[in-house]
Amino acid sequence: MAVALITGASQGIGAAIAKRLAKDGFDVAINHSPKESSKEKALAVAEECKAFGVRAVCCAADVSKMADCEEMVKAVKEQLGSIDALVNNAGITIDKLLARMTEEDYDAVIAVNQKSIFNMLKNVCPVMMKQKHGRIVNITSVAGLYGNPGQVNYSASKAAIIGMTKTIAKEYGRKNITCNAVAPGFINTPMTEALSDEVKTKLLDNVALKRYGKPEEIAGVVSFLVSEDSSYVTGQVIEVSGGISM
Ligand code: NAD
């Protein structure tokens, strides 16, 4: 059975991806941050995944830390045998206009959103190389493509992910490893719940479909990118935003 490792999968988009890939027949490794509340949520996601008849394990790791990622990848290999798909989904926001943003705000977002991907790639790519097969999907954002006021840290981290995706696609293509990115627009998750109703309504002005997206609508595109159907797709950024930019 193929194995998928999804980071930040205790809630929101990551949880939807874990459940969708379990439904597709993947054994799933559900990464969650070391917080106790995340562990409880991840265990609930694992139960839902197991209902599809696959194996599901939870792995606590702060993906901004290289040592945590190293340990997690080793544990997943030991428990599930391989890593065929990696979905780098974990992310945070600390939104402030540049004038108010501190160096700590900037560094924290870069560490979780961007450095984490380097940490995961360093540990997972050697595994995929040995297998001579792998699918990597990085979750970026429309903020990385177009910028967004109040998100200079977040948009920098998400734009960097696009460069990393294309570079990994070029470095590892000959090893039969694909690497693509998905750029969600505004998706209903705990991350966007924090926005005021006024901001939420205003954001929809630029969305052709005039509604927020659902986590499952991101999971469907990830499902395609880790499947055999996407075997000739690599280095691409697929925007799933209800038509924000046209
Ligand atoms: P969310 O806050 O609901 O979930 C984020 C997940 O990442 C949580 O499970 C959290 O525990 C985990 N996480 C955070 N820091 C971590 C760490 N250091 N180590 C391990 N796990 C950690 O957010 P979401 O909306 O589901 O976002 C998922 C991804 O999609 C993020 O990368 C986000 O930037 C991206 N995204 C979301 C939207 C949106 O509108 N919701 C839009 C564009 C991109």
Side-chain angles (χ1 to χ4, degrees), residues 180-199:
N180 292 287
V182 174
F186 303 108
I187 310 299
N188 266 322
T189 69
M191 185 179 270
T192 45
E193 249 166 39
L195 299 172
S196 70
D197 285 346
E198 192 192 342
V199 171

mmCIF file of all heavy atoms in Angstrom, residues 180-199:
data_model
loop_
_atom_site.group_PDB
_atom_site.id
_atom_site.type_symbol
_atom_site.label_atom_id
_atom_site.label_comp_id
_atom_site.label_asym_id
_atom_site.label_seq_id
_atom_site.Cartn_x
_atom_site.Cartn_y
_atom_site.Cartn_z
ATOM 1 N N ASN A 180 5.012 19.523 -7.082
ATOM 2 C CA ASN A 180 4.081 20.573 -7.518
ATOM 3 C C ASN A 180 3.589 21.365 -6.313
ATOM 4 O O ASN A 180 3.757 20.939 -5.171
ATOM 5 C CB ASN A 180 2.889 19.934 -8.241
ATOM 6 C CG ASN A 180 3.290 19.306 -9.571
ATOM 7 O OD1 ASN A 180 3.572 20.008 -10.541
ATOM 8 N ND2 ASN A 180 3.360 17.974 -9.608
ATOM 9 N N ALA A 181 2.974 22.498 -6.597
ATOM 10 C CA ALA A 181 2.417 23.322 -5.516
ATOM 11 C C ALA A 181 0.949 23.588 -5.787
ATOM 12 O O ALA A 181 0.515 23.674 -6.940
ATOM 13 C CB ALA A 181 3.180 24.637 -5.415
ATOM 14 N N VAL A 182 0.201 23.722 -4.711
ATOM 15 C CA VAL A 182 -1.204 24.121 -4.798
ATOM 16 C C VAL A 182 -1.321 25.466 -4.089
ATOM 17 O O VAL A 182 -0.824 25.627 -2.968
ATOM 18 C CB VAL A 182 -2.127 23.071 -4.133
ATOM 19 C CG1 VAL A 182 -3.569 23.565 -4.101
ATOM 20 C CG2 VAL A 182 -2.041 21.742 -4.876
ATOM 21 N N ALA A 183 -1.949 26.430 -4.761
ATOM 22 C CA ALA A 183 -2.114 27.770 -4.184
ATOM 23 C C ALA A 183 -3.583 28.019 -3.877
ATOM 24 O O ALA A 183 -4.349 28.438 -4.763
ATOM 25 C CB ALA A 183 -1.582 28.822 -5.152
ATOM 26 N N PRO A 184 -3.988 27.764 -2.629
ATOM 27 C CA PRO A 184 -5.390 28.032 -2.291
ATOM 28 C C PRO A 184 -5.660 29.524 -2.232
ATOM 29 O O PRO A 184 -4.771 30.331 -1.920
ATOM 30 C CB PRO A 184 -5.556 27.417 -0.893
ATOM 31 C CG PRO A 184 -4.354 26.541 -0.676
ATOM 32 C CD PRO A 184 -3.262 27.157 -1.493
ATOM 33 N N GLY A 185 -6.922 29.873 -2.497
ATOM 34 C CA GLY A 185 -7.400 31.236 -2.244
ATOM 35 C C GLY A 185 -7.924 31.280 -0.821
ATOM 36 O O GLY A 185 -7.238 30.839 0.098
ATOM 37 N N PHE A 186 -9.158 31.767 -0.626
ATOM 38 C CA PHE A 186 -9.712 31.867 0.735
ATOM 39 C C PHE A 186 -10.549 30.635 1.026
ATOM 40 O O PHE A 186 -11.586 30.415 0.409
ATOM 41 C CB PHE A 186 -10.522 33.156 0.869
ATOM 42 C CG PHE A 186 -9.675 34.357 0.551
ATOM 43 C CD1 PHE A 186 -9.863 35.067 -0.609
ATOM 44 C CD2 PHE A 186 -8.634 34.721 1.400
ATOM 45 C CE1 PHE A 186 -9.042 36.135 -0.935
ATOM 46 C CE2 PHE A 186 -7.811 35.781 1.082
ATOM 47 C CZ PHE A 186 -8.015 36.496 -0.091
ATOM 48 N N ILE A 187 -10.070 29.840 1.962
ATOM 49 C CA ILE A 187 -10.696 28.557 2.279
ATOM 50 C C ILE A 187 -11.214 28.621 3.717
ATOM 51 O O ILE A 187 -10.509 29.127 4.607
ATOM 52 C CB ILE A 187 -9.660 27.399 2.141
ATOM 53 C CG1 ILE A 187 -8.907 27.473 0.791
ATOM 54 C CG2 ILE A 187 -10.331 26.040 2.319
ATOM 55 C CD1 ILE A 187 -9.737 27.358 -0.451
ATOM 56 N N ASN A 188 -12.397 28.086 3.938
ATOM 57 C CA ASN A 188 -12.976 28.072 5.289
ATOM 58 C C ASN A 188 -12.251 27.078 6.184
ATOM 59 O O ASN A 188 -12.436 25.870 6.048
ATOM 60 C CB ASN A 188 -14.458 27.656 5.208
ATOM 61 C CG ASN A 188 -15.344 28.867 5.122
ATOM 62 O OD1 ASN A 188 -15.096 29.897 5.751
ATOM 63 N ND2 ASN A 188 -16.395 28.759 4.323
ATOM 64 N N THR A 189 -11.411 27.592 7.059
ATOM 65 C CA THR A 189 -10.688 26.738 8.016
ATOM 66 C C THR A 189 -10.490 27.565 9.289
ATOM 67 O O THR A 189 -10.734 28.782 9.284
ATOM 68 C CB THR A 189 -9.272 26.356 7.500
ATOM 69 O OG1 THR A 189 -8.460 27.542 7.507
ATOM 70 C CG2 THR A 189 -9.281 25.745 6.119
ATOM 71 N N PRO A 190 -9.980 26.947 10.358
ATOM 72 C CA PRO A 190 -9.694 27.726 11.561
ATOM 73 C C PRO A 190 -8.774 28.926 11.277
ATOM 74 O O PRO A 190 -8.862 29.953 11.946
ATOM 75 C CB PRO A 190 -9.016 26.714 12.485
ATOM 76 C CG PRO A 190 -9.611 25.406 12.068
ATOM 77 C CD PRO A 190 -9.771 25.498 10.579
ATOM 78 N N MET A 191 -7.904 28.814 10.240
ATOM 79 C CA MET A 191 -6.990 29.929 9.933
ATOM 80 C C MET A 191 -7.747 31.181 9.491
ATOM 81 O O MET A 191 -7.399 32.294 9.859
ATOM 82 C CB MET A 191 -5.996 29.512 8.833
ATOM 83 C CG MET A 191 -4.945 30.555 8.526
ATOM 84 S SD MET A 191 -3.786 30.028 7.247
ATOM 85 C CE MET A 191 -2.517 29.252 8.212
ATOM 86 N N THR A 192 -8.801 31.011 8.702
ATOM 87 C CA THR A 192 -9.535 32.174 8.179
ATOM 88 C C THR A 192 -10.723 32.562 9.064
ATOM 89 O O THR A 192 -11.294 33.641 8.882
ATOM 90 C CB THR A 192 -10.030 31.912 6.738
ATOM 91 O OG1 THR A 192 -10.598 30.606 6.681
ATOM 92 C CG2 THR A 192 -8.921 32.011 5.729
ATOM 93 N N GLU A 193 -11.080 31.692 10.022
ATOM 94 C CA GLU A 193 -12.176 32.002 10.956
ATOM 95 C C GLU A 193 -11.897 33.311 11.701
ATOM 96 O O GLU A 193 -12.812 34.050 12.052
ATOM 97 C CB GLU A 193 -12.305 30.890 12.000
ATOM 98 C CG GLU A 193 -13.557 30.057 11.863
ATOM 99 C CD GLU A 193 -13.453 28.793 12.677
ATOM 100 O OE1 GLU A 193 -12.921 28.844 13.801
ATOM 101 O OE2 GLU A 193 -13.893 27.750 12.176
ATOM 102 N N ALA A 194 -10.609 33.567 11.925
ATOM 103 C CA ALA A 194 -10.214 34.738 12.708
ATOM 104 C C ALA A 194 -10.529 36.059 12.014
ATOM 105 O O ALA A 194 -10.613 37.096 12.661
ATOM 106 C CB ALA A 194 -8.714 34.652 13.000
ATOM 107 N N LEU A 195 -10.732 36.036 10.688
ATOM 108 C CA LEU A 195 -10.991 37.294 9.956
ATOM 109 C C LEU A 195 -12.374 37.852 10.293
ATOM 110 O O LEU A 195 -13.317 37.092 10.537
ATOM 111 C CB LEU A 195 -10.920 37.045 8.433
ATOM 112 C CG LEU A 195 -9.587 36.545 7.871
ATOM 113 C CD1 LEU A 195 -9.733 36.175 6.404
ATOM 114 C CD2 LEU A 195 -8.498 37.600 8.028
ATOM 115 N N SER A 196 -12.498 39.179 10.303
ATOM 116 C CA SER A 196 -13.803 39.790 10.603
ATOM 117 C C SER A 196 -14.752 39.581 9.418
ATOM 118 O O SER A 196 -14.307 39.373 8.280
ATOM 119 C CB SER A 196 -13.628 41.288 10.840
ATOM 120 O OG SER A 196 -13.313 41.925 9.616
ATOM 121 N N ASP A 197 -16.075 39.659 9.701
ATOM 122 C CA ASP A 197 -17.065 39.472 8.638
ATOM 123 C C ASP A 197 -16.870 40.513 7.539
ATOM 124 O O ASP A 197 -17.032 40.221 6.349
ATOM 125 C CB ASP A 197 -18.487 39.578 9.209
ATOM 126 C CG ASP A 197 -18.841 38.310 9.985
ATOM 127 O OD1 ASP A 197 -18.116 37.308 9.833
ATOM 128 O OD2 ASP A 197 -19.824 38.345 10.748
ATOM 129 N N GLU A 198 -16.485 41.713 7.936
ATOM 130 C CA GLU A 198 -16.278 42.802 6.971
ATOM 131 C C GLU A 198 -15.151 42.426 5.992
ATOM 132 O O GLU A 198 -15.301 42.562 4.770
ATOM 133 C CB GLU A 198 -15.931 44.077 7.745
ATOM 134 C CG GLU A 198 -15.982 45.331 6.906
ATOM 135 C CD GLU A 198 -15.346 46.513 7.620
ATOM 136 O OE1 GLU A 198 -15.183 46.462 8.853
ATOM 137 O OE2 GLU A 198 -14.991 47.472 6.925
ATOM 138 N N VAL A 199 -14.040 41.960 6.550
ATOM 139 C CA VAL A 199 -12.902 41.575 5.695
ATOM 140 C C VAL A 199 -13.302 40.409 4.798
ATOM 141 O O VAL A 199 -13.021 40.401 3.595
ATOM 142 C CB VAL A 199 -11.673 41.198 6.568
ATOM 143 C CG1 VAL A 199 -10.559 40.592 5.731
ATOM 144 C CG2 VAL A 199 -11.163 42.421 7.322
#
